[in-house]
Amino acid sequence: MVSENQAPLFYARLSKDDKKRKQELKTHLTEVAEISQRNASKIGMGYVGYCLGLLHDLGKYSKLYQDYLLKKRNDIRRGDIDHSTAGAQYFDKFIKVLIQDNKLKDFLSELIELCCVSHHSGLIDMIDIRGKNKFNERLSKEHYLSREHYYNKEKETVSIEDVKKNIEKDIADKINNAANNNLLSEIEQIKNKIDKTSENKKIYTTFSYGMIARFLLSCLIDGDHTNSADFERGTKIKNKPVNWNIVSEKLEKEINRLNDENKSSENIKEIRKQISDDCARAGQTRRKGCYKLEVPTGGGKTLASFRFAVEMAKRHGADRIIYCIPFTTIIEQNASTIRKIVETDKSDKGKMVLEHHSNISQTSNDTEELNQTELYMQSWDVPIIFTTNVQILEIMFGRKPTNTRKFHQLANSIIIFDEVQALPIKCVHLFNNAINYLVDFCNTTVVLCTATQPLLDKVCQERGCLKLSEESNIVQNRNCMFDSLKRVEIKPEIKDVAYTSEEIASKAIEFVNDNENCLVICNTTKSAKEIFEIVKNKGDYEVYHLSARMMPVHRKVVLRKIKRKLNRKEKIVVVSTQVIEAGIDIDFNCGIRALAGLDSIIQAAGRINRNGTLKTDDGSNKKGELYVYNFNENLGKLEYIEKGRKTAKIILRRYPNADLLDNKIIKYYYADFFYQKDQQKKMQYLICDGNCDGNTELDLLSENRNNYKDDDKCGHLTLKQSFKAASNNFKVIDDIASPVCIEINRVLEIIKEIKRSSDFRERYKLIKKLHKYSVNIYPNQFENLRASKINEDLDIYSISDCYYDKNFGITEEATLDKGGICV
């Protein structure tokens, strides 16, 4: 080994700005080990995390790598030298043998070696879908650099013995010490806990083993990327621990203010206060676990659930609160509400609340080592995070290291899933098993918020049903509250032949004349557009349209106008897609809803008489009315809505006179929705790829029985998952849409500023401003709309404003009056 007194010869990287500053390899390994140790300590695996940090880049202890890094050779390109496998081979060959023989030793080495070889690529397959032992294949891999197809040179090899010879003595000593310190006891504790907790449920046992690997990889990636970014920046940024007592004081003050200024009816105000107080008491008294917050629409669950989370975080010392929402359309407003409460001090500005909801990336670099400054901004090292269900599921099951990096941040956190009924049916068992893992082994508390609680705890136990805490309901007397908060009467009027857009438009005109205003909610943008165009030409009232095809800033402008009209009691009709159903605080006297799932119908009902202020002529309370019609809509690929619509039809036929807001009816609906045979299969996430025939995501991430036999090649492995195949196939949304910016004047100004700026902090702020001017479009629309990159080094696209309509948002037909809306 290199002499202890010898000057450092080995480096991890050069600075990207001037290539002059060098980071010593031993410094990088040690500092990554310390961060990884801190991260892994959350689940009692600090020594394993430390060992991983020391091992992960041992392949850089080679002359070839140093020659490449220091530009001593020009025939080596980035990626030609595999420097991630050496650490795994070093542990397997030189360290594993030092550990006293133990049945857990092989499991320990699998975890450490798997994370080492995967820290740039994401978890590799242990066994692939063809039954090949890819783990052993990777460990026996010869380190080589081959340029013969470019330069006709002979293959050059780097042996693990060469790497060992060059490892600096203090690093070698640290690795040996880490291996001899409690590695086995850490593995033994968590494995025994999993085996005991899973109660012989093989799927949950093996799934949890795989989640340990993902957790440890997350700890390592975060340490690696954080240290790299610190080196680039030249300084370390340490966020001070959050004081939940102060956050609680600020929140209570704001809640009191809102209670004083609330203009709802006294009955509604009292019920909302009771819900909020129940949440506070539960947070102050409950253990960590998995809870349900069943609150009627309009019950104030956003602040109430946050109040629970703050009190729970204060009681148990949680690291962060993560608020997950199924729709990007409401994240900004919810995050803004909380930010105004908790970031009142100047020193806290921009440091307490993070919004993570955009697919916009700062860099188009698709290599393994992404832009370090961007990765640092994505570390989730803040106390309060607002994100989407898509992001959380990608963190738990996706392939990108940038997503995996955040997984350890879910530990010792309070995670709130708002509108949990919107969870894709195919993800049910994956979600349940992952949440159970986080609650059982990661000190995480989970809250499931909705007015229509899906039966996640009643699905197949063997494949993974949600394990709720013993006293799972946060709100007391919930049935009485649901009855007291009924401010709407739902009136289904379903006929054999579907209603045309003309018929729905006529109904809307009739209702606005009788009730002052009317809200129409459609399942498709096509029907919303048709109805809007019919209604707007037939009366002396304002008509507005809302959909996800509109820029967030445009929707905000329109919503402001709508609320102003409603407050002034002016005649108004609003025709919208489902975008208005979640998190929009708006109050109509009556409405029309296209037949859909019962959960969607109840969400729509939450926009009618929301504040309970409707009165009869004699001054007594009056219910609003929501009419449900079967629209003549082609749902096409909207499979979830179609399935919900069919199930709702069954319930309406079976219980023709039932109150659709009754909790029993909601349970009947979900029982039918979940327990149909085709649905039960889908809950495992079926893989339709021909290469994975017969597999499911759940199989690949647990037992993986379809892809291996108990033979010498694979049977000895504890981890048998096809991690890579599973993550490559995993998509929360089948047709993934990507954001594009609309080239209105303000956007063009921001793009110019981005092109001029070289400071990453300034660029980050500018890019964030583009979010409010972006709309998601599908891959096949990029060409039709002539989307183009705003700058070569940025993975951000824009389209001409001629493809933006002032009423409907994005349209694939260029409009003559360019510009649409001026904002």
Side-chain angles (χ1 to χ4, degrees):
M1 295 184 186
V2 175
S3 169
E4 198 171 16
N5 299 319
Q6 184 177 336
L9 298 174
F10 299 95
Y11 300 96
R13 61 180 38 80
L14 308 181
S15 61
K16 292 185 178 181
D17 49 5
D18 56 11
K19 305 292 183 184
K20 293 180 180 177
R21 286 189 302 116
K22 304 182 184 74
Q23 184 184 35
E24 292 183 26
L25 182 52
K26 67 177 180 180
T27 300
H28 175 63
L29 296 177
T30 303
E31 292 180 351
V32 170
E34 290 168 353
I35 299 170
S36 183
Q37 179 181 36
R38 185 168 64 245
N39 293 339
S41 294
K42 298 175 188 177
I43 61 169
M45 300 188 75
Y47 281 108
V48 177
Y50 186 74
C51 192
L52 272 174
L54 293 173
L55 290 165
H56 80 287
D57 270 356
L58 286 193
K60 293 183 178 180
Y61 278 115
S62 72
K63 186 175 185 304
L64 276 178
Y65 186 86
Q66 295 299 312
D67 286 349
Y68 151 72
L69 184 69
L70 301 174
K71 307 300 180 187
K72 293 182 179 179
R73 289 177 56 169
N74 59 11
D75 61 333
I76 306 176
R77 298 183 184 181
R78 183 171 183 165
D80 284 341
I81 305 174
D82 170 10
H83 65 268
S84 60
T85 305
Q89 292 175 324
Y90 183 84
F91 186 86
D92 193 69
K93 188 169 183 178
F94 301 114
I95 305 301
K96 178 181 173 182
V97 295
L98 300 178
I99 300 174
Q100 186 177 1
D101 190 28
N102 186 296
K103 61 182 180 180
L104 292 169
K105 182 166 70 170
D106 288 339
F107 183 36
L108 167 66
S109 62
E110 284 176 34
L111 287 170
I112 287 179
E113 293 157 18
L114 173 64
C115 290
C116 279
V117 301
S118 302
H119 78 271
H120 285 303
S121 62
L123 290 174
I124 67 166
D125 289 333
M126 296 295 289
I127 300 168
D128 71 9
I129 57 176
R130 296 171 184 82
K132 290 185 178 180
N133 188 328
K134 301 300 286 186
F135 178 68
N136 283 356
E137 185 179 302
R138 181 66 179 266
L139 283 189
S140 60
K141 175 181 177 181
E142 183 181 21
H143 293 269
Y144 66 87
L145 167 67
S146 175
R147 306 305 296 172
E148 53 195 356
H149 53 295
Y150 297 166
Y151 300 104
N152 198 28
K153 287 195 174 185
E154 292 184 4
K155 183 187 296 184
E156 299 179 61
T157 61
V158 182
S159 70
I160 191 62
E161 285 76 12
D162 289 337
V163 171
K164 183 187 180 185
K165 180 178 65 177
N166 291 325
I167 295 174
E168 291 156 296
K169 185 176 183 304
D170 54 345
I171 294 298
D173 290 344
K174 287 176 181 177
I175 294 171
N176 288 339
N177 291 336
N180 291 319
N181 273 318
N182 298 322
L183 284 188
L184 281 178
S185 64
E186 288 184 345
I187 291 293
E188 184 174 24
Q189 285 180 27
I190 195 162
K191 187 176 185 298
N192 288 346
K193 189 176 180 181
I194 287 173
D195 294 344
K196 183 179 179 181
T197 304
S198 58
E199 299 173 346
N200 297 319
K201 294 186 179 72
K202 190 74 173 178
I203 288 176
Y204 185 46
T205 301
T206 52
F207 182 90
S208 297
Y209 292 163
M211 293 304 266
I212 293 176
R214 192 170 188 88
F215 192 95
L216 290 172
L217 180 61
S218 168
C219 298
L220 174 60
I221 292 173
D222 184 59
D224 192 18
H225 291 169
T226 298
N227 180 252
S228 300
D230 288 344
F231 170 72
E232 287 296 331
R233 189 180 293 104
T235 182
K236 296 180 182 179
I237 297 177
K238 291 185 178 180
N239 292 333
K240 63 179 181 180
V242 60
N243 187 328
W244 294 115
N245 289 306
I246 294 175
V247 174
S248 176
E249 289 171 9
K250 291 178 178 179
L251 180 60
E252 294 302 310
K253 183 179 178 180
E254 178 64 11
I255 286 172
N256 290 334
R257 185 188 71 79
L258 291 173
N259 287 339
D260 292 340
E261 297 178 4
N262 198 317
K263 294 180 181 180
S264 302
S265 68
E266 290 303 316
N267 179 52
I268 300 298
K269 285 167 64 175
E270 182 57 35
I271 294 170
R272 287 175 180 165
K273 184 179 185 304
Q274 189 178 341
I275 290 169
S276 182
D277 289 346
D278 279 355
C279 286
R281 277 191 294 271
Q284 292 160 2
T285 57
R286 302 282 179 92
R287 297 178 179 178
K288 295 178 180 180
C290 184
Y291 296 97
K292 296 188 295 183
L293 179 56
E294 296 183 74
V295 176
T297 52
K301 69 177 180 297
T302 301
L303 278 183
S305 60
F306 187 69
R307 195 178 184 194
F308 168 86
V310 170
E311 295 304 315
M312 178 69 75
K314 184 170 70 172
R315 171 176 162 80
H316 294 289
D319 293 334
R320 62 190 45 79
I321 295 169
I322 304 171
Y323 203 106
C324 308
I325 302 172
F327 314 108
T328 58
T329 52
I330 57 174
I331 285 184
E332 190 172 338
Q333 72 173 39
N334 286 354
S336 177
T337 298
I338 300 303
R339 188 179 287 113
K340 288 175 183 176
I341 296 171
V342 302
E343 291 188 355
T344 53
D345 301 333
K346 189 175 181 180
S347 60
D348 289 332
K349 294 291 183 184
K351 298 179 182 178
M352 291 289 289
V353 181
L354 171 73
E355 299 167 47
H356 185 184
H357 56 87
S358 174
N359 291 327
I360 291 179
S361 172
Q362 288 193 41
T363 174
S364 59
N365 191 342
D366 60 358
T367 57
E368 289 180 348
E369 291 190 16
L370 303 177
N371 182 287
Q372 299 297 337
T373 53
E374 182 184 7
L375 290 167
Y376 188 78
M377 300 298 285
Q378 295 178 8
S379 66
W380 275 25
D381 191 16
V382 291
I384 301 165
I385 297 163
F386 282 84
T387 190
T388 62
N389 292 350
V390 171
Q391 289 288 346
I392 285 287
L393 290 167
E394 286 287 349
I395 286 167
M396 295 192 289
F397 305 111
R399 179 153 182 78
K400 291 181 180 179
T402 49
N403 288 325
T404 305
R405 176 186 182 182
K406 305 177 186 72
F407 186 58
H408 75 94
Q409 301 289 30
L410 306 184
N412 199 35
S413 296
I414 318 292
I415 308 178
I416 301 167
F417 288 95
D418 197 6
E419 309 296 354
V420 70
Q421 79 281 352
L423 177 74
I425 192 77
K426 65 183 180 181
C427 295
V428 165
H429 286 307
L430 290 175
F431 177 83
N432 288 349
N433 282 300
I435 296 303
N436 291 340
Y437 169 81
L438 289 170
V439 172
D440 287 341
F441 312 116
C442 298
N443 301 312
T444 303
T445 292
V446 172
V447 183
L448 309 177
C449 289
T450 180
T452 54
Q453 194 74 233
L455 305 178
L456 298 178
D457 57 322
K458 304 296 184 185
V459 297
C460 177
Q461 285 193 14
E462 182 183 347
R463 296 189 185 98
C465 66
L466 201 65
K467 295 191 290 184
L468 297 171
S469 296
E470 189 173 340
E471 191 180 356
S472 61
N473 287 316
I474 292 175
V475 171
Q476 306 300 308
N477 302 316
R478 53 170 299 285
N479 289 334
C480 294
M481 287 187 183
F482 268 77
D483 291 337
S484 300
L485 268 175
K486 284 179 182 173
R487 310 166 306 267
V488 185
E489 186 177 356
I490 299 178
K491 296 185 173 184
E493 294 190 5
I494 311 302
K495 63 180 186 178
D496 293 336
V497 179
Y499 289 81
T500 65
S501 294
E502 287 79 8
E503 289 175 310
I504 298 299
S506 296
K507 295 282 186 184
I509 293 166
E510 176 188 336
F511 293 157
V512 74
N513 287 327
D514 293 342
N515 298 277
E516 198 175 85
N517 56 63
C518 180
L519 171 64
V520 182
I521 303 178
C522 309
N523 290 321
T524 68
T525 54
K526 183 176 183 291
S527 62
K529 183 178 180 181
E530 287 175 357
I531 294 167
F532 171 86
E533 289 181 323
I534 296 168
V535 174
K536 76 172 182 177
N537 296 318
K538 292 193 176 180
D540 57 343
Y541 39 76
E542 293 289 338
V543 185
Y544 294 95
H545 172 273
L546 288 169
S547 83
R549 292 194 176 194
M550 300 162 67
M551 293 181 290
V553 68
H554 185 182
R555 280 199 307 271
K556 193 172 182 179
V557 168
V558 174
L559 275 168
R560 196 181 301 129
K561 289 179 180 178
I562 292 169
K563 290 182 178 182
R564 193 180 303 127
K565 296 282 184 182
L566 291 172
N567 290 335
R568 292 174 181 170
K569 301 188 181 302
E570 297 179 23
K571 279 191 173 184
I572 178 178
V573 176
V574 174
V575 185
S576 177
T577 61
Q578 304 96 303
V579 74
I580 201 169
E581 285 181 348
I584 305 296
D585 187 6
I586 202 161
D587 192 352
F588 287 83
N589 295 340
C590 75
I592 295 171
R593 181 58 168 95
L595 181 63
L598 196 54
D599 52 335
S600 297
I601 293 171
I602 291 172
Q603 285 294 327
R607 313 309 129 190
I608 310 299
N609 196 22
R610 186 176 181 85
N611 295 317
T613 54
L614 275 181
K615 303 290 183 183
T616 61
D617 292 339
D618 62 4
S620 57
N621 289 333
K622 174 186 174 184
K623 287 185 178 179
E625 294 173 325
L626 177 69
Y627 292 85
V628 179
Y629 301 117
N630 50 324
F631 286 25
N632 183 18
E633 293 177 304
N634 179 11
L635 297 183
K637 295 182 180 180
L638 302 175
E639 184 182 350
Y640 184 86
I641 296 176
E642 178 59 31
K643 178 66 72 174
R645 183 166 70 172
K646 287 181 178 178
T647 308
K649 258 188 180 179
I650 294 170
I651 295 298
L652 289 170
R653 195 180 303 121
R654 192 181 300 161
Y655 308 102
N657 300 315
D659 177 5
L660 295 186
L661 294 172
D662 190 312
N663 193 50
K664 290 180 184 176
I665 298 299
I666 296 168
K667 286 185 176 178
Y668 294 152
Y669 167 79
Y670 276 118
D672 270 50
F673 187 80
F674 275 141
Y675 298 140
Q676 295 171 31
K677 282 187 177 180
D678 62 332
Q679 295 292 75
Q680 291 186 47
K681 290 180 181 178
K682 288 177 183 176
M683 288 183 205
Q684 303 173 63
Y685 199 123
L686 298 171
I687 296 175
C688 299
D689 188 332
N691 293 326
C692 299
D693 189 34
N695 283 317
T696 70
E697 286 282 312
L698 184 62
D699 292 330
L700 296 179
L701 292 174
S702 55
E703 296 182 273
N704 205 15
R705 290 297 302 183
N706 287 343
N707 299 318
Y708 85 94
K709 297 177 181 178
D710 289 315
D711 55 21
D712 291 340
K713 293 181 179 178
C714 304
H716 68 285
L717 294 173
T718 303
L719 296 170
K720 299 180 175 70
Q721 287 89 338
S722 297
F723 291 114
K724 181 179 179 181
S727 59
N728 282 344
N729 280 284
F730 183 77
K731 289 192 297 185
V732 183
I733 302 169
D734 291 327
D735 292 321
I736 298 176
S738 301
V740 293
C741 305
I742 314 301
E743 294 172 354
I744 60 173
N745 290 337
R746 180 62 186 126
V747 169
L748 294 174
E749 290 171 6
I750 294 172
I751 290 173
K752 283 182 182 178
E753 292 180 56
I754 289 172
K755 289 180 177 180
R756 282 197 298 261
S757 175
S758 58
D759 181 80
F760 79 89
R761 294 181 186 87
E762 184 182 356
R763 270 190 158 198
Y764 181 81
K765 291 176 181 177
L766 291 168
I767 289 168
K768 190 175 178 183
K769 287 180 180 180
L770 289 178
H771 293 171
K772 64 179 72 172
Y773 303 102
S774 66
V775 181
N776 287 334
I777 64 173
Y778 294 105
N780 63 330
Q781 293 178 298
F782 268 76
E783 184 175 348
N784 294 343
L785 299 174
R786 300 179 183 179
S788 59
K789 281 191 176 186
I790 67 168
N791 209 35
E792 285 185 6
D793 66 330
L794 297 174
D795 198 19
I796 304 174
Y797 290 79
S798 65
I799 62 172
S800 168
D801 60 350
C802 73
Y803 293 105
Y804 196 87
D805 184 273
K806 62 184 178 182
N807 290 315
F808 307 115
I810 279 189
T811 173
E812 293 194 45
E813 295 178 3
T815 56
L816 296 177
D817 54 332
K818 284 190 176 184
I821 185 169
C822 296
V823 288

